[in-house]
Amino acid sequence: MKIHSFNVQPNLPENIKFLEELANDMWFTWNWQAILLFVQVDSKLWTAAKRNPKWFLGCVPQKRFEELSKDETFVNNLNQVKEAYYNYKNNPQTWYQQHRRENGNLLAAYFSMEYGIGEGLPIYSGGLGMLAGDHMKSASDLGMPIIGVGLFYKQGYVQQVLNREGWQNEEYPDNDWAHMPVTRVTDANGNEITVDIPLGAETVKACIWRVPVGRTSLYLLDTNLQENTPAQRAITEKLYGGDRENRIRQEVVLGIGGVKALQAMGIKPTVFHINEGHSAFLLFQRIIDIMNEKHLSFAEAREIVWASSVFTTHTPVIAGNEHFDPALVRKYMQSYADQMHISWDEFLALGKETPESATYCMTVVALRLSAFCNGVAKLHGLVSREMWQNLWPGLPVSEVPITSITNGIHSSSWISHELNELYRKYLFNNDQRGEIDPSDTEAWAKMDNIPNEELWNVHSVRKNKLIDLVQNRLKRQLTRQGFDLMTVKKNSKVLRPDVLTIGFARRFATYKRATLLFKDLNRLDKIVNNPTRPVQFVFAGKAHPADTAGKEFIKLIVGLTQNDPRFKGKIVFVEDYNMNTARYMVQGVDVWLNNPMRPMEASGTSGMKAALNGALALSVLDGWWDEVGPCDFGWSIGGPENYKSAEERDAVESESLYSIIEQEIAPAYYAKDENGLSATWLNLMKESVKHIAPVFNTNRMVKEYYERFYIPANNYGMILQEEGKAQAVAQWRSRIAENWYRVSVTDATPQPEKAILMGDKVNFKARVQLGNLAPEDIQVELYLGQRGTLGGIVKEDAIDMNCTGKDGEAYTYEVSMSPLNSGRQDYAMRILPANKDIPNVLTPLFIRWEE
């Protein structure tokens, strides 16, 4: 049977026609007044539509639209939202317009495998997608010239379905793209734009969809086209779906196809931002395009691409970094190596951590071909430098060029609308509609202005809404599992609004230790069922479909909540964790629990979302919390200690967890007066928001990317595209490589026999052999500090030495300075290349220490 389709659009009256425009821009997802319009149309249908306004409007009866067009209150509300939307879109004084300072016209293209922008656009899995979505939203709020590039999945990420035993099963419902806020991209003549992407011996065709995100856009590639074979159409079927071969095909489509799509649309980014290694193949397509456009060699084009590329790594777990079998890589990438005129061995070396590595790693590719690299928290930056130091042999770990920009959250997307109104009233000058900057430290410092009673009332409202959500979810789950009506009714009466509530929700990877709380069930029983200070827990999260150990964690927790009378109704597991569930949880719990194995949590943004809503943190010193705790407004589980085994770690930290809840958290929460308010608790809430909200948000984060990465990447990219610049740098690198074996530093002085007095100047001097290099090709540094426990010098500073002449075939370098500290001083001397036209001289690394 052949089935044909056509679309019927809702016929909205003219005075409410703006609803259609609103439904097609993801701006609505972080503007409560806009969301409220859809709720006012039909609240039950809005929930059933999973907050997808385009699908929602297509299901509303025409009669209802006619009624609304005559409803003066609704029309007035709509007009207010319409005015706010157009003011937002047309504001000429965005943060970026007021602060821009790069050369030329910056445009950053942000590539990510997933984006969590709204529930109605289910192209996300977890934290990586949430971060990418929040990055795009803050780019819009700031007016930053950033566009997103991703994939357009036929099916949303796995939906979690629990059976009666608590075992996770998965479903993959098809996305109804005809009723989602996306449109096909067309050319000036109205023809749909497609791109051809070579995939080994075949070519796949992809079309492009555009998702408006306020002031910016997200572009998604889709291979589900009739022109493609069934296997090719399946490339963009599922996020992280299929086997290793389908994964590499997805990454070729995202990276290489994404660059081709931008070209086809006439979009010319000056900076490319790779969000995790999945899209790193884009670097090769960029090199090929520049080679062809500017008639450059691989080495010359590589300079331009390297200088204008940004790479953000998100995982300190080795297995979380994308690795492929070299034979599989060759199947799909040999033609690209040929186009770059490099041998297969040279291509393969770009993705191998060491020459002996058995796999081709996308993280390694991105690190080697991006001048600007970062982890997503200070601790994660340190861990990343240690993880990847093999790429820079001979360089001290502290100088490995992987820095950090700590993640944040898009505050407007995650704050409850009730609390948002309270913050605007007391912190942001009663501005109930205009744009506010969540990184405004002075505004958040006014938290003490909020009356305790008002803050607690708002929190209580959100807590009740969380409990309602959990109970309704549980009713649906038990009904689906076939329980009778009485059982459903009895077992769905869970949680109490007057009880201290602790939340835990995240991906159920084993290193996140969702079961740490259940280490000692007798101890947990005493905490949960304390007669005067009871505690209840809400859990949620999905395991990866292939993660059996993670599924066992879920089964264990669900089993305890269902079968152990000590915990029934007091510890609950919420099925099918998603953006909506996350929002209710971070807005409704009293405490947010996070207990991964340090330092395996790269950042952990869920705790930031909870903190913004007044929940207090109970966390291991990992990810972002390592930058906050220990502190006076939250609790830290354990410290930075190293343990002999995982068993020892779990024993020590579970004991710490129980003790903190019993001895500190519960007493502070239940220190209530006759009005039911705990001044102690409310002060903690205010201090927490005051310190966390202005720092851990994506407005601050995106500004930091702009200042530290986007501006220099844009500027260096422009410099290297000037006539002859890339060629000159490539020639300089070749000269360095050819001569480096002849470079050395010798005869370092002083080597004093007696102590030097504080305040005395010391003249450091060295003889340097340069071979055929000139002094302007290199820099000689005095590396000053104290000998560390591992034998090297813990650097205090690297001081440039000055070339003062020539002594035979050697050059002399000197610098005079007074030591800043008394006691033993250690120093070494080293030589690095020098070139003012590139972002840094550490990649690829040439370094020579005094021998």
Side-chain angles (χ1 to χ4, degrees):
M1 179 174 62
K2 189 172 184 179
I3 300 176
H4 301 275
S5 301
F6 62 92
N7 288 329
V8 178
Q9 299 293 331
N11 185 16
L12 272 66
E14 194 62 35
N15 65 341
I16 61 170
K17 207 167 186 62
F18 172 69
L19 281 174
E20 286 186 318
E21 186 174 357
L22 187 63
N24 281 287
D25 192 329
M26 298 303 286
W27 175 86
F28 85 87
T29 62
W30 69 92
N31 288 273
W32 170 248
Q33 296 303 321
I35 295 171
L36 191 57
L37 286 177
F38 298 120
V39 174
Q40 289 170 344
V41 172
D42 189 326
S43 60
K44 290 184 179 179
L45 183 59
W46 177 246
T47 300
K50 295 186 164 88
R51 289 149 293 281
N52 172 3
K54 199 168 179 181
W55 186 91
F56 168 78
L57 291 181
C59 296
V60 175
Q62 187 66 31
K63 180 182 177 183
R64 178 58 177 157
F65 289 133
E66 300 296 339
E67 291 173 355
L68 291 167
S69 70
K70 298 169 185 173
D71 184 330
E72 187 175 336
T73 301
F74 181 83
V75 172
N76 286 339
N77 290 340
L78 182 143
N79 287 333
Q80 288 177 358
V81 172
K82 184 177 181 180
E83 181 183 9
Y85 176 70
Y86 288 140
N87 287 341
Y88 177 90
K89 295 273 282 188
N90 301 319
N91 180 10
Q93 290 298 309
T94 62
W95 181 91
Y96 171 72
Q97 290 299 335
Q98 296 177 63
H99 295 86
R100 62 173 300 182
R101 58 182 185 83
E102 72 279 0
N103 299 329
N105 295 311
L106 166 73
L107 176 60
Y110 183 90
F111 282 66
S112 181
M113 199 77 154
E114 52 175 298
Y115 289 87
I117 297 177
E119 302 95 289
L121 190 68
I123 55 171
Y124 62 90
S125 156
L128 181 71
M130 295 299 104
L131 185 278
D134 284 6
H135 194 113
M136 293 299 297
K137 292 174 184 178
S138 275
S140 172
D141 287 346
L142 296 168
M144 197 81 74
I146 301 173
I147 55 170
V149 180
L151 296 181
F152 182 91
Y153 301 104
K154 180 185 175 186
Q155 297 177 342
Y157 190 61
V158 57
Q159 287 189 357
Q160 181 187 61
V161 180
L162 301 178
N163 65 17
R164 284 195 178 198
E165 287 70 43
W167 187 256
Q168 172 183 299
N169 295 300
E170 296 87 30
E171 292 182 355
Y172 293 89
D174 281 353
N175 286 322
D176 183 5
W177 291 113
H179 296 94
M180 289 186 171
V182 296
T183 53
R184 284 279 286 267
V185 176
T186 59
D187 61 22
N189 298 318
N191 301 312
E192 293 178 344
I193 296 175
T194 60
V195 293
D196 293 330
I197 308 163
L199 276 176
E202 56 185 311
T203 298
V204 65
K205 193 176 288 291
C207 68
I208 310 162
W209 298 81
R210 175 178 174 262
V211 181
V213 186
R215 296 182 178 114
T216 189
S217 296
L218 170 62
Y219 296 98
L220 304 174
L221 282 85
D222 177 15
T223 65
N224 186 24
L225 303 176
Q226 290 184 351
E227 301 95 311
N228 290 329
T229 66
Q232 291 172 341
R233 296 181 71 166
I235 292 173
T236 55
E237 183 173 50
K238 294 178 183 176
L239 171 60
Y240 304 132
D243 55 15
R244 297 306 298 161
E245 183 147 16
N246 194 65
R247 176 66 70 85
I248 197 171
R249 287 158 72 88
Q250 282 189 335
E251 297 189 5
V252 171
V253 170
L254 173 60
I256 290 172
V259 173
K260 287 177 171 287
L262 295 176
Q263 290 173 338
M265 292 185 290
I267 297 173
K268 298 180 179 180
T270 62
V271 174
F272 284 75
H273 188 163
I274 301 166
N275 188 44
E276 199 57 291
H278 307 115
S279 60
F281 287 138
L282 73 83
L283 295 158
F284 299 123
Q285 186 61 48
R286 290 191 65 206
I287 289 173
I288 291 167
D289 292 340
I290 291 172
M291 289 174 67
N292 293 335
E293 178 188 343
K294 297 185 175 293
H295 308 292
L296 300 178
S297 68
F298 168 79
E300 293 162 352
R302 171 180 170 158
E303 293 295 343
I304 298 172
V305 170
W306 171 76
S308 56
S309 295
V310 175
F311 171 55
T312 299
T313 177
H314 284 265
T315 175
V317 183
I318 286 290
N321 292 273
E322 197 75 274
H323 291 259
F324 290 111
D325 184 283
L328 186 60
V329 178
R330 187 165 198 172
K331 177 178 178 180
Y332 290 102
M333 298 305 295
Q334 176 71 66
S335 64
Y336 296 95
D338 293 343
Q339 292 177 70
M340 292 184 289
H341 308 299
I342 60 175
S343 70
W344 180 248
D345 286 343
E346 289 173 311
F347 183 91
L348 207 56
L350 292 169
K352 284 194 167 190
E353 184 177 354
T354 67
E356 296 76 32
S357 297
T359 59
Y360 186 90
C361 179
M362 300 297 281
T363 301
V364 171
V365 173
L367 289 170
R368 282 212 167 101
L369 294 178
S370 303
F372 303 91
C373 303
N374 71 288
V376 291
K378 290 178 181 177
L379 179 59
H380 181 228
L382 171 62
V383 171
S384 298
R385 289 190 288 276
E386 293 173 344
M387 280 178 66
W388 302 110
Q389 62 180 302
N390 284 340
L391 301 185
W392 291 272
L395 190 67
V397 172
S398 62
E399 292 186 89
V400 167
I402 305 174
T403 182
S404 64
I405 293 180
T406 302
N407 279 346
I409 59 167
H410 184 252
S411 304
S412 297
S413 293
W414 297 104
I415 191 172
S416 73
H417 67 90
E418 296 95 341
L419 196 54
N420 189 36
E421 290 174 7
L422 200 64
Y423 287 162
R424 284 176 176 266
K425 177 180 178 181
Y426 287 102
L427 313 183
F428 294 94
N429 300 321
N430 213 26
D431 182 358
Q432 295 300 317
R433 297 198 178 275
E435 293 181 58
I436 62 174
D437 182 0
S439 60
D440 183 350
T441 304
E442 290 185 8
W444 294 107
K446 303 174 188 173
M447 277 298 297
D448 293 332
N449 292 351
I450 302 177
N452 280 352
E453 186 174 1
E454 288 190 49
L455 180 57
W456 189 249
N457 286 344
V458 166
H459 179 67
S460 298
V461 167
R462 293 310 312 184
K463 192 171 185 179
N464 279 301
K465 287 187 176 183
L466 169 62
I467 292 172
D468 288 344
L469 173 91
V470 172
Q471 292 180 352
N472 289 330
R473 284 285 192 90
L474 202 50
K475 284 178 186 175
R476 290 204 303 270
Q477 175 185 329
L478 295 171
T479 301
R480 190 201 70 244
Q481 292 172 344
F483 289 97
D484 62 81
L485 189 61
M486 288 295 292
T487 302
V488 170
K489 188 174 181 181
K490 177 181 177 183
N491 290 315
S492 60
K493 288 293 183 184
V494 297
L495 307 179
R496 287 168 38 195
D498 60 334
V499 172
L500 170 62
T501 304
I502 299 178
F504 179 101
R506 53 193 27 88
R507 185 165 53 90
F508 263 63
T510 52
Y511 75 85
K512 294 178 184 283
R513 296 192 298 179
T515 57
L516 184 67
L517 180 70
F518 304 95
K519 183 82 175 168
D520 184 341
L521 294 181
N522 291 328
R523 187 79 176 274
L524 182 59
D525 173 24
K526 292 178 181 177
I527 292 171
V528 169
N529 295 298
N530 185 299
T532 57
R533 297 198 293 257
V535 184
Q536 59 194 12
F537 295 85
V538 183
F539 282 80
K542 298 174 184 175
H544 186 279
D547 185 0
T548 302
K551 291 182 179 183
E552 291 287 358
F553 276 18
I554 293 172
K555 182 182 177 183
L556 185 151
I557 295 172
V558 173
L560 287 170
T561 66
Q562 292 179 345
N563 304 320
D564 194 319
R566 295 174 295 178
F567 308 124
K568 210 166 187 178
K570 300 163 187 174
I571 300 178
V572 296
F573 187 95
V574 185
E575 184 184 54
D576 197 29
Y577 185 52
N578 58 24
M579 281 185 80
N580 189 49
T581 308
R583 197 172 287 113
Y584 274 86
M585 285 189 66
V586 299
Q587 293 171 2
V589 299
D590 300 304
V591 174
W592 194 257
L593 174 61
N594 183 38
N595 46 235
M597 287 188 284
R598 188 181 193 271
M600 298 178 76
E601 184 80 88
S603 178
T605 55
S606 62
M608 304 174 193
K609 296 162 188 169
L612 177 68
N613 285 282
L616 302 180
L618 171 58
S619 179
V620 166
L621 285 171
D622 201 6
W624 77 283
W625 187 250
D626 186 65
E627 298 171 33
V628 181
C631 61
D632 296 331
F633 48 83
W635 297 275
S636 298
I637 302 167
E641 302 88 2
N642 293 318
Y643 296 92
K644 296 177 183 176
S645 66
E647 291 75 19
E648 181 186 29
R649 180 197 304 269
D650 287 354
V652 171
E653 295 187 349
S654 63
E655 171 61 32
S656 174
L657 173 59
Y658 297 138
S659 296
I660 291 171
I661 294 173
E662 288 176 321
Q663 299 170 21
E664 299 181 46
I665 296 177
Y669 181 85
Y670 286 105
K672 296 183 178 180
D673 60 20
E674 64 276 7
N675 297 315
L677 301 179
S678 168
T680 301
W681 192 264
L682 283 155
N683 287 338
L684 288 170
M685 289 174 68
K686 291 177 180 180
E687 285 299 306
S688 175
V689 174
K690 189 186 301 182
H691 286 86
I692 292 171
V695 178
F696 297 97
N697 61 79
T698 43
N699 274 36
R700 184 274 310 158
M701 182 192 80
V702 172
K703 290 176 187 177
E704 202 169 338
Y705 274 111
Y706 173 68
E707 295 286 348
R708 293 176 54 191
F709 285 1
Y710 295 164
I711 290 175
N714 173 84
N715 292 353
Y716 278 111
M718 291 183 65
I719 289 170
L720 288 168
Q721 293 190 66
E722 294 174 6
E723 188 67 32
K725 281 287 188 181
Q727 295 93 324
V729 171
Q731 289 166 7
W732 167 80
R733 283 206 197 272
S734 177
R735 197 162 61 249
I736 294 289
E738 290 170 1
N739 284 275
W740 202 251
Y741 75 98
R742 302 172 66 183
V743 170
S744 64
V745 54
T746 60
D747 301 331
T749 57
Q751 296 174 354
E753 296 181 359
K754 61 180 182 178
I756 295 167
L757 295 176
M758 280 292 294
D760 288 352
K761 281 209 166 188
V762 181
N763 188 52
F764 295 90
K765 185 177 181 180
R767 283 168 51 85
V768 176
Q769 299 283 350
L770 294 182
N772 291 328
L773 297 178
E776 55 266 27
D777 290 327
I778 60 98
Q779 55 193 356
V780 181
E781 293 179 341
L782 171 67
Y783 200 79
L784 186 65
Q786 292 183 326
R787 199 181 303 270
T789 56
L790 299 180
I793 293 177
V794 180
K795 183 190 70 166
E796 289 184 3
D797 205 359
I799 302 160
D800 286 339
M801 301 182 71
N802 304 308
C803 184
T804 56
K806 200 168 183 183
D807 181 7
E809 298 218 348
Y811 290 88
T812 57
Y813 280 78
E814 298 183 60
V815 66
S816 293
M817 59 165 296
S818 297
L820 298 177
N821 301 305
S822 60
R824 175 173 172 160
Q825 304 291 305
D826 295 299
Y827 71 94
M829 293 179 185
R830 68 182 185 183
I831 308 173
L832 291 167
N835 194 309
K836 63 179 176 54
D837 290 330
I838 59 176
N840 70 66
V841 295
L842 300 177
T843 307
L845 180 66
F846 290 91
I847 186 169
R848 184 77 70 211
W849 293 91
E850 176 198 0
E851 295 180 357

